[in-house]
mmCIF file of all heavy atoms in Angstrom:
data_model
loop_
_atom_site.group_PDB
_atom_site.id
_atom_site.type_symbol
_atom_site.label_atom_id
_atom_site.label_comp_id
_atom_site.label_asym_id
_atom_site.label_seq_id
_atom_site.Cartn_x
_atom_site.Cartn_y
_atom_site.Cartn_z
ATOM 1 N N GLN A 297 4.996 28.480 12.949
ATOM 2 C CA GLN A 297 5.677 29.303 14.020
ATOM 3 C C GLN A 297 5.534 30.800 13.570
ATOM 4 O O GLN A 297 5.560 31.656 14.397
ATOM 5 C CB GLN A 297 7.060 28.896 14.230
ATOM 6 C CG GLN A 297 7.231 27.501 14.902
ATOM 7 C CD GLN A 297 6.957 27.489 16.434
ATOM 8 O OE1 GLN A 297 6.442 28.467 16.957
ATOM 9 N NE2 GLN A 297 7.419 26.501 17.066
ATOM 10 N N ARG A 298 5.511 31.008 12.184
ATOM 11 C CA ARG A 298 5.681 32.340 11.562
ATOM 12 C C ARG A 298 4.331 32.794 11.199
ATOM 13 O O ARG A 298 3.967 33.937 11.211
ATOM 14 C CB ARG A 298 6.700 32.358 10.502
ATOM 15 C CG ARG A 298 6.849 33.799 9.873
ATOM 16 C CD ARG A 298 7.888 33.704 8.862
ATOM 17 N NE ARG A 298 8.214 35.029 8.240
ATOM 18 C CZ ARG A 298 8.841 35.999 8.686
ATOM 19 N NH1 ARG A 298 9.462 35.818 9.837
ATOM 20 N NH2 ARG A 298 8.973 37.114 8.026
ATOM 21 N N PHE A 299 3.502 31.878 10.715
ATOM 22 C CA PHE A 299 2.127 32.227 9.990
ATOM 23 C C PHE A 299 1.064 31.446 10.807
ATOM 24 O O PHE A 299 1.331 30.542 11.454
ATOM 25 C CB PHE A 299 2.198 31.889 8.556
ATOM 26 C CG PHE A 299 3.287 32.488 7.746
ATOM 27 C CD1 PHE A 299 4.336 31.676 7.394
ATOM 28 C CD2 PHE A 299 3.347 33.827 7.481
ATOM 29 C CE1 PHE A 299 5.466 32.268 6.685
ATOM 30 C CE2 PHE A 299 4.328 34.402 6.647
ATOM 31 C CZ PHE A 299 5.404 33.572 6.274
ATOM 32 N N SER A 300 -0.156 31.981 10.564
ATOM 33 C CA SER A 300 -1.338 31.226 11.232
ATOM 34 C C SER A 300 -1.485 29.800 10.585
ATOM 35 O O SER A 300 -1.146 29.585 9.450
ATOM 36 C CB SER A 300 -2.592 31.882 11.006
ATOM 37 O OG SER A 300 -2.986 31.876 9.732
ATOM 38 N N ILE A 301 -1.880 28.880 11.481
ATOM 39 C CA ILE A 301 -2.058 27.532 10.966
ATOM 40 C C ILE A 301 -3.042 27.344 9.936
ATOM 41 O O ILE A 301 -2.725 26.620 8.916
ATOM 42 C CB ILE A 301 -2.363 26.538 12.233
ATOM 43 C CG1 ILE A 301 -1.291 26.477 13.219
ATOM 44 C CG2 ILE A 301 -2.810 25.226 11.829
ATOM 45 C CD1 ILE A 301 -1.649 25.680 14.507
ATOM 46 N N PRO A 302 -4.222 27.937 9.913
ATOM 47 C CA PRO A 302 -5.118 27.923 8.712
ATOM 48 C C PRO A 302 -4.508 28.295 7.462
ATOM 49 O O PRO A 302 -4.611 27.684 6.417
ATOM 50 C CB PRO A 302 -6.215 28.799 9.250
ATOM 51 C CG PRO A 302 -6.226 28.782 10.701
ATOM 52 C CD PRO A 302 -4.783 28.785 11.126
ATOM 53 N N LEU A 303 -3.555 29.435 7.581
ATOM 54 C CA LEU A 303 -2.981 29.839 6.325
ATOM 55 C C LEU A 303 -2.022 28.849 5.850
ATOM 56 O O LEU A 303 -1.901 28.605 4.608
ATOM 57 C CB LEU A 303 -2.243 31.165 6.564
ATOM 58 C CG LEU A 303 -1.402 31.756 5.517
ATOM 59 C CD1 LEU A 303 -2.317 32.056 4.285
ATOM 60 C CD2 LEU A 303 -0.665 33.117 5.922
ATOM 61 N N VAL A 304 -1.219 28.239 6.754
ATOM 62 C CA VAL A 304 -0.203 27.371 6.391
ATOM 63 C C VAL A 304 -0.945 25.987 5.717
ATOM 64 O O VAL A 304 -0.445 25.574 4.681
ATOM 65 C CB VAL A 304 0.647 26.880 7.659
ATOM 66 C CG1 VAL A 304 1.563 25.699 7.321
ATOM 67 C CG2 VAL A 304 1.480 28.071 8.065
ATOM 68 N N VAL A 305 -1.868 25.570 6.447
ATOM 69 C CA VAL A 305 -2.490 24.275 5.880
ATOM 70 C C VAL A 305 -3.185 24.523 4.500
ATOM 71 O O VAL A 305 -3.073 23.785 3.615
ATOM 72 C CB VAL A 305 -3.497 23.738 6.972
ATOM 73 C CG1 VAL A 305 -4.190 22.521 6.338
ATOM 74 C CG2 VAL A 305 -2.788 23.359 8.240
ATOM 75 N N GLY A 306 -3.862 25.709 4.463
ATOM 76 C CA GLY A 306 -4.645 26.031 3.221
ATOM 77 C C GLY A 306 -3.714 26.133 2.111
ATOM 78 O O GLY A 306 -3.922 25.712 0.917
ATOM 79 N N ALA A 307 -2.624 26.973 2.261
ATOM 80 C CA ALA A 307 -1.695 27.259 1.217
ATOM 81 C C ALA A 307 -0.963 26.035 0.828
ATOM 82 O O ALA A 307 -0.630 25.727 -0.340
ATOM 83 C CB ALA A 307 -0.724 28.346 1.707
ATOM 84 N N TRP A 308 -0.553 25.227 1.853
ATOM 85 C CA TRP A 308 0.266 23.928 1.608
ATOM 86 C C TRP A 308 -0.626 23.007 0.791
ATOM 87 O O TRP A 308 -0.183 22.363 -0.186
ATOM 88 C CB TRP A 308 0.526 23.345 2.966
ATOM 89 C CG TRP A 308 1.334 22.094 2.923
ATOM 90 C CD1 TRP A 308 0.892 20.828 2.895
ATOM 91 C CD2 TRP A 308 2.741 21.866 2.817
ATOM 92 N NE1 TRP A 308 1.929 19.865 2.857
ATOM 93 C CE2 TRP A 308 3.064 20.559 2.789
ATOM 94 C CE3 TRP A 308 3.728 22.825 2.852
ATOM 95 C CZ2 TRP A 308 4.410 20.089 2.813
ATOM 96 C CZ3 TRP A 308 5.093 22.395 2.757
ATOM 97 C CH2 TRP A 308 5.426 21.040 2.744
ATOM 98 N N SER A 309 -1.988 22.940 1.025
ATOM 99 C CA SER A 309 -2.843 22.144 0.340
ATOM 100 C C SER A 309 -3.092 22.590 -1.087
ATOM 101 O O SER A 309 -3.229 21.854 -2.042
ATOM 102 C CB SER A 309 -4.149 21.935 1.054
ATOM 103 O OG SER A 309 -3.995 21.429 2.433
ATOM 104 N N ALA A 310 -3.128 23.955 -1.254
ATOM 105 C CA ALA A 310 -3.378 24.530 -2.587
ATOM 106 C C ALA A 310 -2.129 24.163 -3.467
ATOM 107 O O ALA A 310 -2.330 23.860 -4.576
ATOM 108 C CB ALA A 310 -3.577 26.029 -2.551
ATOM 109 N N ALA A 311 -1.011 24.261 -2.908
ATOM 110 C CA ALA A 311 0.232 23.840 -3.659
ATOM 111 C C ALA A 311 0.098 22.341 -4.034
ATOM 112 O O ALA A 311 0.478 21.884 -4.941
ATOM 113 C CB ALA A 311 1.444 24.149 -2.824
ATOM 114 N N GLY A 312 -0.556 21.556 -3.093
ATOM 115 C CA GLY A 312 -0.734 20.067 -3.303
ATOM 116 C C GLY A 312 -1.638 19.839 -4.467
ATOM 117 O O GLY A 312 -1.396 18.900 -5.325
ATOM 118 N N VAL A 313 -2.704 20.712 -4.633
ATOM 119 C CA VAL A 313 -3.529 20.556 -5.694
ATOM 120 C C VAL A 313 -2.788 20.670 -7.164
ATOM 121 O O VAL A 313 -3.016 19.988 -7.988
ATOM 122 C CB VAL A 313 -4.748 21.582 -5.716
ATOM 123 C CG1 VAL A 313 -5.603 21.618 -6.909
ATOM 124 C CG2 VAL A 313 -5.621 21.338 -4.529
ATOM 125 N N VAL A 314 -1.977 21.733 -7.139
ATOM 126 C CA VAL A 314 -1.053 21.937 -8.300
ATOM 127 C C VAL A 314 -0.231 20.678 -8.594
ATOM 128 O O VAL A 314 -0.142 20.165 -9.744
ATOM 129 C CB VAL A 314 -0.310 23.254 -8.245
ATOM 130 C CG1 VAL A 314 0.573 23.375 -9.392
ATOM 131 C CG2 VAL A 314 -1.159 24.412 -8.094
ATOM 132 N N LEU A 315 0.441 20.260 -7.579
ATOM 133 C CA LEU A 315 1.355 19.130 -7.748
ATOM 134 C C LEU A 315 0.647 17.819 -8.103
ATOM 135 O O LEU A 315 1.039 17.188 -9.032
ATOM 136 C CB LEU A 315 2.156 18.852 -6.350
ATOM 137 C CG LEU A 315 2.969 17.607 -6.426
ATOM 138 C CD1 LEU A 315 4.110 17.773 -7.350
ATOM 139 C CD2 LEU A 315 3.567 17.468 -4.906
ATOM 140 N N MET A 316 -0.523 17.574 -7.421
ATOM 141 C CA MET A 316 -1.265 16.381 -7.794
ATOM 142 C C MET A 316 -2.014 16.355 -9.180
ATOM 143 O O MET A 316 -2.011 15.344 -9.870
ATOM 144 C CB MET A 316 -2.311 16.101 -6.732
ATOM 145 C CG MET A 316 -1.817 15.759 -5.359
ATOM 146 S SD MET A 316 -0.643 14.421 -5.367
ATOM 147 C CE MET A 316 -1.807 13.167 -4.938
ATOM 148 N N THR A 317 -2.355 17.585 -9.600
ATOM 149 C CA THR A 317 -2.790 17.811 -10.946
ATOM 150 C C THR A 317 -1.766 17.462 -11.971
ATOM 151 O O THR A 317 -2.066 16.719 -12.937
ATOM 152 C CB THR A 317 -3.377 19.147 -11.088
ATOM 153 O OG1 THR A 317 -4.480 19.508 -10.171
ATOM 154 C CG2 THR A 317 -3.967 19.374 -12.517
ATOM 155 N N ALA A 318 -0.504 17.961 -11.707
ATOM 156 C CA ALA A 318 0.501 17.668 -12.717
ATOM 157 C C ALA A 318 0.877 16.122 -12.769
ATOM 158 O O ALA A 318 1.108 15.563 -13.702
ATOM 159 C CB ALA A 318 1.764 18.362 -12.267
ATOM 160 N N ALA A 319 0.796 15.472 -11.599
ATOM 161 C CA ALA A 319 1.000 14.089 -11.446
ATOM 162 C C ALA A 319 -0.012 13.288 -12.293
ATOM 163 O O ALA A 319 0.227 12.306 -13.040
ATOM 164 C CB ALA A 319 1.112 13.601 -10.030
ATOM 165 N N ALA A 320 -1.228 13.690 -12.004
ATOM 166 C CA ALA A 320 -2.390 13.030 -12.656
ATOM 167 C C ALA A 320 -2.314 13.202 -14.154
ATOM 168 O O ALA A 320 -2.623 12.274 -15.006
ATOM 169 C CB ALA A 320 -3.776 13.553 -12.177
ATOM 170 N N LEU A 321 -1.976 14.333 -14.613
ATOM 171 C CA LEU A 321 -2.008 14.642 -16.092
ATOM 172 C C LEU A 321 -0.806 13.856 -16.783
ATOM 173 O O LEU A 321 -0.921 13.645 -18.003
ATOM 174 C CB LEU A 321 -1.840 16.100 -16.341
ATOM 175 C CG LEU A 321 -3.031 16.990 -16.063
ATOM 176 C CD1 LEU A 321 -2.717 18.465 -16.224
ATOM 177 C CD2 LEU A 321 -4.258 16.537 -16.843
ATOM 178 N N SER A 322 0.190 13.625 -16.000
ATOM 179 C CA SER A 322 1.338 12.842 -16.656
ATOM 180 C C SER A 322 1.224 11.332 -16.413
ATOM 181 O O SER A 322 2.279 10.616 -16.680
ATOM 182 C CB SER A 322 2.660 13.392 -16.179
ATOM 183 O OG SER A 322 2.727 13.312 -14.747
ATOM 184 N N TRP A 323 0.214 10.878 -16.010
ATOM 185 C CA TRP A 323 0.016 9.510 -15.663
ATOM 186 C C TRP A 323 0.166 8.612 -17.015
ATOM 187 O O TRP A 323 -0.299 9.079 -18.047
ATOM 188 C CB TRP A 323 -1.377 9.265 -15.024
ATOM 189 C CG TRP A 323 -1.629 7.797 -14.709
ATOM 190 C CD1 TRP A 323 -2.402 6.897 -15.363
ATOM 191 C CD2 TRP A 323 -1.118 7.137 -13.524
ATOM 192 N NE1 TRP A 323 -2.413 5.687 -14.666
ATOM 193 C CE2 TRP A 323 -1.610 5.853 -13.595
ATOM 194 C CE3 TRP A 323 -0.325 7.484 -12.504
ATOM 195 C CZ2 TRP A 323 -1.303 4.852 -12.603
ATOM 196 C CZ3 TRP A 323 -0.043 6.554 -11.508
ATOM 197 C CH2 TRP A 323 -0.606 5.275 -11.575
ATOM 198 N N PRO A 324 0.746 7.513 -16.948
ATOM 199 C CA PRO A 324 0.943 6.646 -18.097
ATOM 200 C C PRO A 324 -0.319 6.244 -18.682
ATOM 201 O O PRO A 324 -1.324 6.063 -18.086
ATOM 202 C CB PRO A 324 1.791 5.451 -17.587
ATOM 203 C CG PRO A 324 2.424 5.826 -16.395
ATOM 204 C CD PRO A 324 1.484 6.864 -15.740
ATOM 205 N N SER A 325 -0.275 5.941 -19.958
ATOM 206 C CA SER A 325 -1.453 5.509 -20.708
ATOM 207 C C SER A 325 -1.828 4.128 -20.294
ATOM 208 O O SER A 325 -1.128 3.342 -19.750
ATOM 209 C CB SER A 325 -1.230 5.501 -22.265
ATOM 210 O OG SER A 325 -0.288 4.452 -22.625
ATOM 211 N N ARG A 326 -3.119 3.727 -20.636
ATOM 212 C CA ARG A 326 -3.554 2.393 -20.364
ATOM 213 C C ARG A 326 -2.758 1.322 -20.945
ATOM 214 O O ARG A 326 -2.392 0.222 -20.396
ATOM 215 C CB ARG A 326 -5.079 2.192 -20.766
ATOM 216 C CG ARG A 326 -5.630 0.843 -20.577
ATOM 217 C CD ARG A 326 -5.571 0.407 -19.095
ATOM 218 N NE ARG A 326 -6.222 -1.011 -19.051
ATOM 219 C CZ ARG A 326 -7.521 -1.184 -18.843
ATOM 220 N NH1 ARG A 326 -8.423 -0.142 -18.765
ATOM 221 N NH2 ARG A 326 -7.947 -2.438 -18.672
ATOM 222 N N GLU A 327 -2.291 1.499 -22.105
ATOM 223 C CA GLU A 327 -1.453 0.571 -22.904
ATOM 224 C C GLU A 327 -0.120 0.375 -22.144
ATOM 225 O O GLU A 327 0.396 -0.665 -21.998
ATOM 226 C CB GLU A 327 -1.170 1.125 -24.298
ATOM 227 C CG GLU A 327 -2.369 1.127 -25.233
ATOM 228 C CD GLU A 327 -3.221 2.248 -25.035
ATOM 229 O OE1 GLU A 327 -2.883 3.165 -24.206
ATOM 230 O OE2 GLU A 327 -4.349 2.326 -25.709
ATOM 231 N N THR A 328 0.473 1.379 -21.693
ATOM 232 C CA THR A 328 1.769 1.415 -20.876
ATOM 233 C C THR A 328 1.449 0.600 -19.697
ATOM 234 O O THR A 328 2.323 -0.314 -19.329
ATOM 235 C CB THR A 328 2.234 2.768 -20.585
ATOM 236 O OG1 THR A 328 2.472 3.608 -21.755
ATOM 237 C CG2 THR A 328 3.524 2.722 -19.797
ATOM 238 N N VAL A 329 0.446 0.787 -18.901
ATOM 239 C CA VAL A 329 0.167 0.049 -17.692
ATOM 240 C C VAL A 329 -0.040 -1.397 -17.892
ATOM 241 O O VAL A 329 0.544 -2.226 -17.296
ATOM 242 C CB VAL A 329 -1.029 0.675 -16.984
ATOM 243 C CG1 VAL A 329 -1.440 -0.160 -15.833
ATOM 244 C CG2 VAL A 329 -0.811 2.174 -16.486
ATOM 245 N N ASP A 330 -0.885 -1.651 -19.001
ATOM 246 C CA ASP A 330 -1.053 -3.116 -19.313
ATOM 247 C C ASP A 330 0.215 -3.920 -19.790
ATOM 248 O O ASP A 330 0.415 -5.079 -19.417
ATOM 249 C CB ASP A 330 -2.131 -3.200 -20.533
ATOM 250 C CG ASP A 330 -3.536 -2.869 -20.049
ATOM 251 O OD1 ASP A 330 -3.776 -2.828 -18.815
ATOM 252 O OD2 ASP A 330 -4.396 -2.734 -20.900
ATOM 253 N N ALA A 331 1.034 -3.140 -20.600
ATOM 254 C CA ALA A 331 2.272 -3.700 -20.946
ATOM 255 C C ALA A 331 3.219 -4.011 -19.740
ATOM 256 O O ALA A 331 3.948 -4.958 -19.738
ATOM 257 C CB ALA A 331 2.943 -2.762 -21.941
ATOM 258 N N ALA A 332 3.181 -3.060 -18.792
ATOM 259 C CA ALA A 332 4.042 -3.252 -17.572
ATOM 260 C C ALA A 332 3.656 -4.457 -16.802
ATOM 261 O O ALA A 332 4.374 -5.296 -16.307
ATOM 262 C CB ALA A 332 4.001 -2.021 -16.679
#
């Protein structure tokens, strides 16, 4: 409503790249997954 839709979607998705990268980097090790 305040900013253009392309700006909102693009910036929202760029923030998503940062969030998903952090989640991927902190993923449990294979040993942890196997043990679970």
Side-chain angles (χ1 to χ4, degrees):
Q297 294 279 18
R298 181 176 179 84
F299 306 101
S300 71
I301 293 177
L303 176 61
V304 169
V305 175
W308 184 265
S309 301
V313 173
V314 176
L315 176 62
M316 296 303 268
T317 300
L321 290 176
S322 58
W323 182 258
S325 68
R326 174 63 182 268
E327 289 82 0
T328 301
V329 173
D330 287 347

